[in-house]
Amino acid sequence: GEPWIELGAHTLLGADITLSAGFVPGLDLGPRPMAQPSPMRSSGRGSHVVAHASIEVGDFVYTGPHVYITDQNHS
């Protein structure tokens, strides 16, 4: 889902993180990015952002290590 992931200016990503958009490879998710980290966002090491539909992260958001953010999970 790389085409649907947008990173803001001055974004800092820790080691061993996951950014994922969409459910299966090749799925057309439309024109709007799915995960939208805003300016000055920081993700701690070992964190995951998994978007199946849409995740928007506000300005100046900082997460610690091993944080899991998703808009969908197991039923």
Side-chain angles (χ1 to χ4, degrees):
E2 256 181 69
W4 291 276
I5 296 173
E6 179 180 293
L7 299 176
H10 307 290
T11 297
L12 176 64
L13 303 175
D16 303 318
I17 67 160
T18 300
L19 297 177
S20 176
F23 188 66
V24 295
L27 182 65
D28 184 0
L29 301 174
R32 188 167 165 238
M34 304 300 278
Q36 302 177 349
S38 296
M40 297 301 294
R41 180 175 188 274
S42 176
S43 289
R45 61 184 162 75
S47 293
H48 307 281
V49 178
V50 180
H52 290 267
S54 180
I55 293 176
E56 295 185 28
V57 179
D59 295 343
F60 304 99
V61 172
Y62 299 85
T63 63
H66 307 288
V67 172
Y68 184 80
I69 301 171
T70 187
D71 60 348
Q72 180 174 325
N73 205 341
H74 303 327
S75 55

